[in-house]
Amino acid sequence: MKARGRFDLPRELEPVMERAKRLEWVTIGALTAIVIAIYMTMGSSQAMKAAWVEDLLSFVTPIAFLVSARYRHGEPNDEFPYGYHRSVSIAFLAGAVALTLFGAFILFDSAMSLAMAHHPTIGTTVLFGRQFWSGWLMIAVLFLSGIPPFILGRMKMEPARQLH
């Protein structure tokens, strides 16, 4: 098959693509802080472990988008006659795979805990010289970890519409 001409975004959409990339980098930074905070408060809680794994898998989509956005400028060749502009679709596949892996993890981990009759307790933590039930810290971290993805998701909606 003969290689076709190179495909580029229209000039007016290049700044939108750059904004989308910046938002993905901000997302990776926010996810890093969230993953660290959840890990620090996780203890033996099954729910926090699931939230931690879910946040770890959340890295897949922004990383896949950034990698595919980097390769979309590839020149057409015999193997890819229309170039690499469709590589951005890989991010959608990566998101679906991450969701599937998360579901499989939750199913396996819950089944194992049920089969072993494992009942983890949530202990206490001393913070600022006072003893707290660790569940309060977990609730606070989970609440705060929902704010950045909500804000970033709203910020990503317009570039997503324009680039679609």
Side-chain angles (χ1 to χ4, degrees):
M1 183 176 247
K2 186 178 178 189
R4 308 279 185 220
R6 184 181 161 140
F7 175 83
D8 287 328
L9 280 176
R11 286 181 195 241
E12 64 270 8
L13 289 181
E14 284 298 330
V16 177
M17 181 59 119
E18 290 304 314
R19 182 167 188 256
K21 288 180 193 177
R22 281 192 308 274
L23 285 170
E24 293 301 341
W25 279 111
V26 171
T27 300
I28 290 172
L31 282 174
T32 301
I34 290 168
V35 164
I36 291 170
I38 289 177
Y39 181 77
M40 300 285 285
T41 59
M42 182 168 53
S44 61
S45 169
Q46 294 290 86
M48 288 299 282
K49 185 165 50 166
W52 183 67
V53 170
E54 182 257 335
D55 286 333
L56 280 175
L57 288 173
S58 296
F59 280 106
V60 172
T61 305
I63 290 171
F65 175 80
L66 289 170
V67 169
S68 64
R70 182 174 179 89
Y71 285 101
R72 74 180 175 86
H73 293 297
E75 293 291 328
N77 55 36
D78 289 336
E79 192 174 350
F80 298 100
Y82 294 100
Y84 294 86
H85 70 277
R86 298 281 301 173
S87 66
V88 179
S89 299
I90 292 171
F92 295 108
L93 175 64
V97 168
L99 284 172
T100 303
L101 289 175
F102 176 64
F105 168 77
I106 292 294
L107 179 66
F108 176 76
D109 195 47
S110 299
M112 291 302 295
S113 294
L114 183 65
M116 297 173 76
H118 185 244
H119 300 286
T121 58
I122 298 176
T124 59
T125 302
V126 176
L127 193 63
F128 305 117
R130 303 203 34 111
Q131 192 170 10
F132 290 95
W133 176 58
S134 294
W136 291 119
L137 293 174
M138 293 175 193
I139 290 169
V141 166
L142 285 174
F143 176 77
L144 293 174
S145 72
I147 296 171
F150 178 77
I151 293 169
L152 287 167
R154 299 294 250 163
M155 292 172 73
K156 292 176 187 180
M157 287 176 74
E158 190 54 36
R161 279 190 198 105
Q162 292 176 1
L163 292 172
H164 183 68

